[in-house]
C-alpha cells in the first residue's frame, strides 16, 4: 500500500482524468438527499455527503437484468450480451466498500460465480472516501467503519489536501498524471490522525456495543421479542431496497406477445416479502412477519458470518432511515444489551447470595 498527498485543488483534475477513459459514477445532491449517479461535470460531485439514499450496489447487481433470451419453437437459448462500460465508482464510504466485499464473496468467490456480476465488477475501479458518521450510522458496531481493502484509491480529507491510499496500478497511473503527488510529512500524518480521531468521536455513543452478536442471535432465537418486533412490519421491503448487501433475487421468464420467444430476467427480491418463502403447493416456510423479520436479522448478524467470517450488515444506517416502524439492527442491539445486562445482574446477585 502506498500513501501520498494531493492538494484539494487537484481533485477536479483527478475526476476529469477518470472521465476521459471511464464512465464516472459519484454521489450527487438529489432532493431529499444524495444518490450515486453518472457524472458529466466534476463540480457535481459531492464528497462531503452524509449517506446516499441507496447504495451503489445497483452498478454491479442491477435491480432488473436479462440473463438470456430463448426461442420456444426451436428450443434455442441465446446468451444475452450485456453492455459493459469501463466505470469508476468515485466517493464510496467505508461501509459501502465493505458491502461490496460481502457481495464479492457471494457472486465472485463462491463455487458458482456469477458471470454478469463479475463482468461489471472487473470493469470497475473504486475510489473510496473518508466520512463523518450520521446519527443512524453504526458501522463501528459491526466492524465495517474501516476499509482495509476493496478500493483502488482511498481519499481522506485533511482540509486543504487529501491523504491518498493507493492500491492499484491503473488508478495510480491516472493519479500521477493528473495531480501533483508528494510524500506525506509529519504534519500530514498528524492531520490524518486527528481526522481519524474526530470520526471515531462522532459516532452516537448511545448505540450499544454488544459483544458476540452472532451467539446472541442463537441464544435468543425463540424470545418473545421477535413476535412484537416482527408484528410492526408493513411488508414494504424498503429495507431491502436500500440495503447495500441484500442480494436476494427472483427469476422470471417473460414471453413475447406471440409466445414464440422470450427472455429470462433476474429481479431484486426480499426475504421480508410475504411471497418469498412460498413454494409449490402454496406452503410458506415463513408465513408471518415474525418469522421473516427474524430470518432477515439472523442472516445479517449470524448466518453470513458463519460461512464468510463477517456479518452481512455493514451498519450504513439506511434501513434505519427507510423503515417507518423502527425495525433495524440497532433495535436488536438494544434488546441484546438489555438481556445481557439483566443476565449480568442476576449472576452477580446469585454470586453475592453464595
Amino acid at each position: 500500500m502506498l500513501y501520498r498527498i494531493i492538494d484539494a485543488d487537484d481533485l477536479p483534475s483527478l475526476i476529469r482524468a477518470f472521465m476521459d477513459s471511464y464512465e464516472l459514477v459519484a454521489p450527487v445532491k438529489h432532493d431529499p438527499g444524495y444518490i450515486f449517479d453518472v457524472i458529466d461535470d466534476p463540480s457535481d460531485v459531492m464528497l462531503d455527503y452524509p449517506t446516499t439514499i441507496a447504495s451503489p450496489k445497483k452498478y454491479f447487481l442491477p435491480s432488473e437484468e436479462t440473463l438470456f433470451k430463448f426461442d420456444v419453437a426451436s428450443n434455442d437459448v441465446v446468451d444475452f450480451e450485456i453492455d459493459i462500460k469501463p466505470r469508476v465508482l468515485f466517493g464510496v464510504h467505508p461501509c459501502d466498500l465493505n458491502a461490496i466485499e460481502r457481495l464479492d464473496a457471494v457472486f465472485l468467490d463462491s463455487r458458482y460465480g456469477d458471470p454478469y456480476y463479475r463482468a461489471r465488477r472487473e470493469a470497475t475501479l473504486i475510489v473510496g472516501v473518508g466520512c463523518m458518521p450520521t446519527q443512524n450510522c453504526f458501522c463501528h458496531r459491526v466492524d465495517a467503519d474501516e476499509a482495509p481493502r476493496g478500493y483502488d484509491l482511498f481519499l481522506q480529507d485533511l482540509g486543504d489536501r487529501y491523504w491518498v491510499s493507493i492500491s492499484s496500478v491503473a488508478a495510480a497511473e491516472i493519479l500521477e498524471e493528473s495531480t501533483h503527488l508528494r510524500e506525506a510529512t509529519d504534519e500530514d500524518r498528524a492531520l490524518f490522525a486527528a481526522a481519524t480521531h474526530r470520526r471515531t468521536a462522532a459516532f452516537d455513543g448511545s448505540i450499544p456495543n454488544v459483544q458476540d452478536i452472532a451467539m446472541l442471535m442463537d441464544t435468543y432465537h425463540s424470545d418473545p421479542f421477535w413476535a412484537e418486533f416482527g408484528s410492526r412490519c408493513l411488508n414494504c421491503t424498503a429495507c431491502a431496497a436500500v440495503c447495500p448487501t441484500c442480494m436476494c433475487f427472483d427469476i422470471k421468464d417473460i414471453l413475447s406477445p406471440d409466445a414464440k420467444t422470450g427472455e429470462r430476467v433476474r429481479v431484486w427480491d426480499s426475504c421480508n416479502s410475504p411471497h418469498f418463502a412460498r413454494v409449490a403447493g402454496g406452503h410458506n416456510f415463513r408465513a408471518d412477519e415474525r418469522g421473516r423479520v427474524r430470518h432477515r436479522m439472523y442472516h445479517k448478524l449470524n448466518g453470513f458470518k458463519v460461512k464468510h467470517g463477517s456479518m452481512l450488515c455493514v451498519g450504513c444506517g439506511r434501513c434505519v432511515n427507510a423503515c417507518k416502524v423502527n425495525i433495524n439492527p440497532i433495535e436488536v442491539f438494544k434488546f441484546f444489551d438489555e438481556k445481557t445486562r439483566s443476565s449480568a445482574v442476576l449472576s452477580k446477585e446469585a454470586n453475592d447470595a453464595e
Side-chain angles (χ1 to χ4, degrees), residues 56-314:
K57 174 181 67 177
K58 64 181 180 180
Y59 292 101
F60 303 116
L61 187 67
S63 58
E64 182 173 324
E65 64 176 325
T66 299
L67 302 180
F68 59 79
K69 297 184 177 182
F70 56 86
D71 187 300
V72 177
S74 64
N75 200 30
D76 287 336
V77 174
V78 179
D79 289 341
F80 185 70
E81 298 291 335
I82 57 177
D83 181 20
I84 300 297
K85 298 179 180 179
R87 176 180 290 142
V88 173
L89 199 53
F90 199 96
V92 183
H93 284 173
C95 59
D96 282 338
L97 289 170
N98 279 285
I100 294 169
E101 288 271 290
R102 310 298 194 265
L103 296 177
D104 286 352
V106 174
F107 291 101
L108 291 185
D109 303 332
S110 61
R111 182 178 180 183
Y112 302 103
D114 186 290
Y116 306 92
Y117 181 95
R118 181 180 298 276
R120 294 184 177 93
R121 184 70 174 88
E122 292 180 348
T124 304
L125 298 180
I126 300 178
V127 179
V129 65
C131 60
M132 291 295 287
T134 66
Q135 181 182 359
N136 292 330
C137 291
F138 59 99
C139 55
H140 63 314
R141 298 306 192 210
V142 291
D143 297 324
D145 53 324
E146 295 182 359
R149 57 189 178 276
Y151 56 81
D152 296 271
L153 298 177
F154 191 91
L155 308 176
Q156 176 59 57
D157 188 356
L158 302 182
D160 61 349
R161 71 200 80 169
Y162 284 93
W163 178 286
V164 187
S165 303
I166 307 168
S167 63
S168 85
V169 174
E173 290 176 348
I174 294 175
L175 180 71
E176 187 172 8
E177 292 170 0
S178 60
T179 66
H180 300 88
L181 288 177
R182 64 176 185 273
E183 299 280 346
T185 64
D186 288 344
E187 179 189 5
D188 296 323
R189 283 184 278 271
L191 288 172
F192 181 83
T196 302
H197 178 74
R198 283 195 303 274
R199 181 173 185 269
T200 301
F203 283 103
D204 184 353
S206 68
I207 300 174
N209 183 16
V210 181
Q211 303 299 311
D212 299 318
I213 292 172
M215 180 195 71
L216 293 171
M217 285 297 303
D218 281 331
T219 303
Y220 297 107
H221 189 263
S222 300
D223 195 276
F225 163 80
W226 297 107
E228 187 283 324
F229 197 50
S231 69
R232 307 178 201 170
C233 184
L234 304 175
N235 302 313
C236 68
T237 70
C239 52
V242 299
C243 178
T245 61
C246 275
M247 60 191 73
C248 294
F249 58 82
D250 192 10
I251 298 292
K252 298 180 179 180
D253 285 345
I254 301 176
L255 287 172
S256 61
D258 60 9
K260 294 181 178 179
T261 60
E263 58 184 28
R264 180 158 294 180
V265 178
R266 171 164 62 187
V267 295
W268 286 0
D269 205 346
S270 169
C271 61
N272 267 8
S273 175
H275 74 267
F276 185 83
R278 188 168 61 235
V279 296
H283 179 68
N284 196 325
F285 288 95
R286 289 185 289 276
D288 58 22
E289 290 83 358
R290 169 185 175 274
R292 291 193 292 271
V293 168
R294 183 179 63 181
H295 171 78
R296 184 172 189 272
M297 292 297 172
Y298 192 88
H299 188 222
K300 295 290 184 184
L301 304 176
N302 183 309
F304 189 86
K305 185 173 184 177
V306 170
K307 186 172 183 179
H308 297 286
S310 59
M311 280 187 277
L312 189 58
C313 177
V314 294

